[in-house]
Amino acid sequence: MSKILIRAMVLPMTGPDVFYPQGEITIVDDRILSVGERGSAPSGFVPDRILDLPNDVLMPGLINTHTHAAMTLLRSYADDLPLMPWLNEKVWPFEEKLTDEDIYWGTALALCEMIRSGTTTMLDMYASMDQVAEAVLKAGTRAVLSRGLIGNGPNGEQAFQESIDLVERYHGAGKGRVKIMFGPHAPYTCSGEYLQKVKAEADRLSVGIHIHVAETRDEINIIQEKFGKTPVQWLDELGLFGGHVVAAHCVHLTPEDMEILARKHVCVAHNAESNMKLNSGTAPIIELQGKGVIVGLGTDGASSNNNLDLFGEMRSAAFQQKLRVSSTALPAYEVLKMATVGGAQTLGLEDVGILAPGFKADLITLDMDQPHFYPRFSIPSHLVYSAHAGDVRTVMVDGIFLMEERKILTMDVKKVCQEAETRAKRISTELSC
Ligand code: NI
């Protein structure tokens, strides 16, 4: 049994007024035993290890609710292009060349970056998901994984079967750190019949669904032309909603679409930076939250961001809604909730996202003894408007340290970077021949 005591400024994300400037947290094995002021540890608690970080803020690990981790291999390969030539001439030909091993190393690169930037959980959608699961198990993070399903593509049936196999092999792996969902790519890449088949199988296996919805104007036009409906209305009519569904993007929504998402308890993964970079639009986050829709934050893949830093994503999400609505929209604490407890709710994870007794010990600390964190009027403001990836000092998942003093303990970062560089360059060379 491992028993750890950490002393720090503790922001447990259990309420806007809950903050312990001189706090401490105790951890037994993979779970939190107590959270509170210094000296609040249960009497008789004898830690094996004490970590004194009085100038650090300790908070829940961040949760990335939409990404394609292995796309780190495409980072800086093709930027600043119009959407369709970018996809047709750059992204898709590159992805066709990816081997299972490439996807392992691309995911490993993403996980190193996530750990460095305080992200402890991701929802991923990609191919070769066995490799992705193995990378997650090695890195020690938490993840919900979905095999991307292009129903209209040549591999639609094979990928469907791979999804079923993935559930059997990895749902609950790593002592529950890995969970699986079905990942039908989008309403315009899967037929209605295919989506209904996916939904039936997801229900049979008791897993959720992760899908891109209403991301671009083009998608709205395609679905409107084909079915005379919005993508949200179309998916609702097919019966896709009703269980656990994570809808990524939701940029272009009608008031009726928002009512449907709220009524069917669909959770939204908001990707402000990807939506800006690809000129997709600005999602109506304030209106969605106003209707009671749960919203988490995502980075999307590294080719449309280009980093996986959720601190940057928090700032962009806040600024975007302020620009769109008003300066009072999305205050700092609300954005922090989206990256923590909101992310956990989006992914259907009940025991992460806040620091409270009985919850999983998924936590991070940030070094606040730096010029950009003085003076200390508001810690939530600092975390959203001033913090960045490099401020993260400590990362723990399931009670195990993945990073201490900014050094990742579970992965050989140098090797991961070298593998990613070599593999990405091999593909670009093949494509330029
Ligand atoms: Ni995406």
Side-chain angles (χ1 to χ4, degrees):
M1 188 185 284
S2 104
K3 292 180 174 178
I4 298 168
L5 169 72
I6 308 176
R7 299 189 183 113
M9 298 181 261
V10 180
L11 183 71
M13 295 308 298
T14 47
D17 301 322
V18 188
F19 176 59
Y20 306 105
Q22 290 188 303
E24 68 181 25
I25 181 167
T26 58
I27 298 141
V28 176
D29 292 333
D30 58 336
R31 291 194 188 262
I32 295 166
L33 179 67
S34 68
V35 183
E37 295 289 0
R38 194 96 20 118
S40 62
S43 60
F45 181 80
V46 182
D48 314 319
R49 182 152 180 226
I50 298 174
L51 210 58
D52 261 313
L53 300 168
N55 271 310
D56 280 28
V57 162
L58 188 155
M59 62 176 288
L62 304 183
I63 296 175
N64 188 338
T65 61
H66 180 69
T67 191
H68 312 281
M71 289 186 86
T72 50
L73 292 178
L74 284 87
R75 179 162 29 220
S76 81
Y77 172 63
D79 293 311
D80 313 320
L81 296 171
L83 185 66
M84 289 324 287
W86 175 70
L87 287 173
N88 285 321
E89 293 161 30
K90 292 291 182 178
V91 175
W92 291 337
F94 192 106
E95 287 186 314
E96 265 175 36
K97 298 259 178 203
L98 290 170
T99 65
D100 288 352
E101 277 209 346
D102 294 336
I103 288 175
Y104 175 89
W105 289 104
T107 306
L109 183 65
L111 291 168
C112 287
E113 187 186 354
M114 286 183 184
I115 294 171
R116 279 275 179 88
S117 52
T119 296
T120 50
T121 301
M122 68 165 176
L123 171 54
D124 195 47
M125 180 194 287
Y126 217 59
S128 307
M129 295 310 287
D130 284 26
Q131 306 293 321
V132 175
E134 289 301 329
V136 168
L137 291 172
K138 169 92 172 74
T141 59
R142 197 175 298 284
V144 183
L145 307 178
S146 51
R147 172 41 164 127
L149 302 168
I150 312 271
N152 300 342
N155 299 325
E157 288 313 311
Q158 190 197 324
F160 178 73
Q161 188 55 47
E162 284 175 24
S163 294
I164 298 168
D165 296 344
L166 191 67
V167 174
E168 283 165 5
R169 274 206 287 273
Y170 287 104
H171 193 54
K175 295 183 187 163
R177 278 193 289 113
V178 175
K179 298 234 161 75
I180 307 299
M181 290 174 83
F182 272 62
H185 172 261
Y188 61 94
T189 53
C190 298
S191 69
E193 195 189 345
Y194 187 86
L195 287 167
Q196 285 175 325
K197 190 168 84 165
V198 166
K199 165 70 173 156
E201 199 60 18
D203 285 352
R204 187 181 74 79
L205 295 167
S206 302
V207 297
I209 288 175
H210 173 203
I211 182 169
H212 296 86
V213 180
E215 180 176 359
T216 62
R217 279 257 166 248
D218 281 351
E219 173 185 342
I220 305 296
N221 294 339
I222 290 167
I223 300 296
Q224 193 71 43
E225 217 164 275
K226 247 180 155 174
F227 307 111
K229 295 177 175 53
T230 68
V232 169
Q233 289 164 356
W234 169 236
L235 294 175
D236 186 39
E237 199 176 289
L238 288 171
L240 198 83
F241 302 150
H244 177 215
V245 177
V246 179
H249 298 295
C250 292
V251 174
H252 301 282
L253 300 174
T254 64
E256 193 195 336
D257 289 341
M258 291 191 243
E259 292 292 343
I260 292 170
L261 294 174
R263 199 166 57 239
K264 295 293 172 73
H265 304 289
V266 175
C267 301
V268 170
H270 174 45
N271 305 266
E273 293 191 350
S274 170
N275 295 158
M276 287 194 280
K277 184 164 186 255
L278 299 181
N279 188 235
S280 302
T282 311
I285 297 307
I286 301 301
E287 291 85 340
L288 282 167
Q289 289 181 328
K291 290 188 189 301
V293 175
I294 291 172
V295 182
L297 294 181
T299 56
D300 213 349
S303 59
S304 62
N305 190 301
N306 288 359
N307 62 58
L308 309 175
D309 175 8
L310 277 176
F311 286 98
E313 200 67 40
M314 280 196 275
R315 186 158 54 250
S316 296
F319 287 177
Q320 203 191 46
Q321 295 301 310
K322 289 175 193 304
L323 180 65
R324 191 180 69 89
V325 183
S326 85
S327 60
T328 61
L330 277 192
Y333 192 80
E334 290 304 311
V335 185
L336 277 172
K337 273 170 67 180
M338 290 166 76
T340 54
V341 56
Q345 289 170 335
T346 301
L347 303 196
L349 303 175
E350 286 166 2
D351 52 5
V352 296
I354 59 169
L355 303 180
F359 275 66
K360 289 281 190 178
D362 285 16
L363 54 88
I364 61 175
T365 81
L366 286 88
D367 173 10
M368 303 300 280
D369 194 15
Q370 303 186 77
H372 59 293
F373 291 132
Y374 286 98
R376 288 180 189 160
F377 288 119
S378 164
I379 295 296
S381 284
H382 278 342
L383 294 172
V384 173
Y385 303 128
S386 293
H388 53 77
D391 300 324
V392 179
R393 188 203 302 271
T394 317
V395 176
M396 173 185 274
V397 171
D398 245 7
I400 293 174
F401 287 105
L402 307 188
M403 182 167 83
E404 282 193 78
E405 292 300 335
R406 296 189 173 88
K407 185 178 180 341
I408 295 180
L409 305 171
T410 49
M411 312 274 273
D412 181 342
V413 179
K414 200 168 173 193
K415 176 166 169 61
V416 170
C417 292
Q418 281 168 352
E419 286 282 351
E421 178 73 9
T422 308
R423 288 165 187 277
K425 289 285 169 64
R426 182 203 80 228
I427 293 173
S428 79
T429 306
E430 279 172 27
L431 288 169
S432 63
C433 287

